[in-house]
Amino acid sequence: MTNELEPHGSNAPLETDENQPVLPKFDFPPVDEVYAPLADAVGSQAKQSGKLRLLLVLALIAALLGGLLVYNNHFAFYERTLRNLNFDYQNGETTSESFPIKSQYAQNIAKNLYGKTISLHTVMYAFDSAQTLQRTLTVYDYFVSPDSAEMTAKTGTSKWLFTDTQKMRMHGSTVEEHKSGHWEEVEANRFPYFDLFFFATENTDQYSASLYDSYPSTVGSTLYHCEVWLIELYQGNSPIYYSLYRYYLNDKLTAVRMLNDRSDLIYVYDIQDYTIE
């Protein structure tokens, strides 16, 4: 019997090299060749590193903005100046009945003004008719002599780091403002009348001044003597009417609260220092 699983006869083909499986060949680079990561791996690592740097930059910006916000809320010019007021009218005042005889603080100071030079440093802040404190204030350095005057004003806004500075001077009837590095002539009524508002007691051809009332007033925890002066300033076609509340402490002018018929604002001047020489 013949085995069906074996090749029939001696004619079965013999295995040769042509029937061997062909193995793939790889051309490897020399051993000393410098290898570099694949391009997609470089992109992946770069993206991760870029995201990390972006997060760090954003965190730094957020920290800087937060620090700036805290600084503006507490240490900006407006907030810092308000905290250092000598005459703080934010809570108003408590008054008593008028004095039986009107006081003479303003007249006593005015006696020493003729021919003298006045230098003063004052903070001006304001309230509207609803007693809301305005978001800007101005610090003035003011100098006036018998024939000339100079003024520097620095204005700050609530929670804002930067300030605006204005400089003006007056000689005779000519008023100039410093703009873009040079002095430019402007309207005379733009120069502040601090010597008038703070010290005037007599009538001239430019204004009239009269004492209306005087009374004791408590602002904060300090007792002042307040004199109410009515000023009529002859300017333009129609006069401007001012009500001036002058507050005195130890015979020295400390503050002035001012109203006029052309504005709804109440201006408060905290006179932090002044000299008459």
Side-chain angles (χ1 to χ4, degrees), residues 102 210-214 227-230:
K102 293 179 181 179
S210 61
L211 177 59
Y212 176 77
D213 196 7
S214 59
E227 292 184 357
V228 184
W229 284 82
L230 304 180

Side-chain angles (χ1 to χ4, degrees), residues 23-215:
L23 299 177
K25 295 183 178 181
F26 298 94
D27 294 327
F28 293 100
V31 176
D32 59 350
E33 183 174 332
V34 178
Y35 289 90
L38 297 178
D40 59 345
V42 173
S44 176
Q45 293 178 4
K47 290 179 181 179
Q48 294 296 329
S49 179
K51 290 180 180 179
L52 180 58
R53 285 196 298 268
L54 178 60
L55 290 175
L56 290 175
V57 170
L58 292 177
L60 179 60
I61 293 175
L64 290 175
L65 291 177
L68 182 61
L69 181 62
V70 171
Y71 180 88
N72 284 342
N73 288 343
H74 297 279
F75 303 107
F77 180 79
Y78 178 94
E79 283 73 22
R80 186 174 68 251
T81 304
L82 276 183
R83 286 198 304 271
N84 291 283
L85 291 174
N86 293 333
F87 184 87
D88 190 344
Y89 202 78
Q90 294 185 69
N91 294 320
E93 64 182 305
T94 302
T95 61
S96 303
E97 294 182 1
S98 301
F99 293 115
I101 300 176
K102 293 179 181 179
S103 63
Q104 296 184 343
Y105 289 98
Q107 288 95 332
N108 291 337
I109 294 175
K111 293 177 183 178
N112 299 318
L113 294 181
Y114 183 76
K116 298 292 184 64
T117 296
I118 303 172
S119 300
L120 62 87
H121 178 77
T122 183
V123 179
M124 186 276 289
Y125 54 104
F127 301 87
D128 62 16
S129 57
Q131 298 296 316
T132 301
L133 179 65
Q134 301 302 285
R135 297 185 66 252
T136 61
L137 58 75
T138 303
V139 175
Y140 292 94
D141 286 302
Y142 187 85
F143 167 90
V144 58
S145 68
D147 59 357
S148 64
E150 297 179 4
M151 182 273 296
T152 300
K154 182 180 290 187
T155 300
T157 302
S158 176
K159 299 181 181 180
W160 184 246
L161 179 62
F162 305 101
T163 59
D164 293 324
T165 300
Q166 180 188 35
K167 293 184 178 180
M168 300 183 74
R169 67 185 183 185
M170 178 172 62
H171 187 79
S173 60
T174 301
V175 175
E176 296 176 308
E177 182 176 359
H178 195 261
K179 295 181 177 180
S180 302
H182 67 278
W183 291 97
E184 178 180 323
E185 187 171 348
V186 296
E187 295 181 1
N189 59 13
R190 292 187 56 188
F191 201 86
Y193 300 100
F194 289 158
D195 51 337
L196 166 64
F197 297 151
F198 297 171
F199 303 107
T201 59
E202 298 180 354
N203 299 335
T204 70
D205 57 352
Q206 296 178 332
Y207 61 85
S208 64
S210 61
L211 177 59
Y212 176 77
D213 196 7
S214 59
Y215 56 86

Side-chain angles (χ1 to χ4, degrees), residues 243-262:
S243 296
L244 300 170
Y245 297 77
R246 297 171 176 171
Y247 297 84
Y248 299 89
L249 180 65
N250 299 326
D251 298 329
K252 188 171 184 178
L253 182 65
T254 301
V256 174
R257 186 163 55 93
M258 184 186 74
L259 298 84
N260 68 73
D261 65 337
R262 298 189 181 182

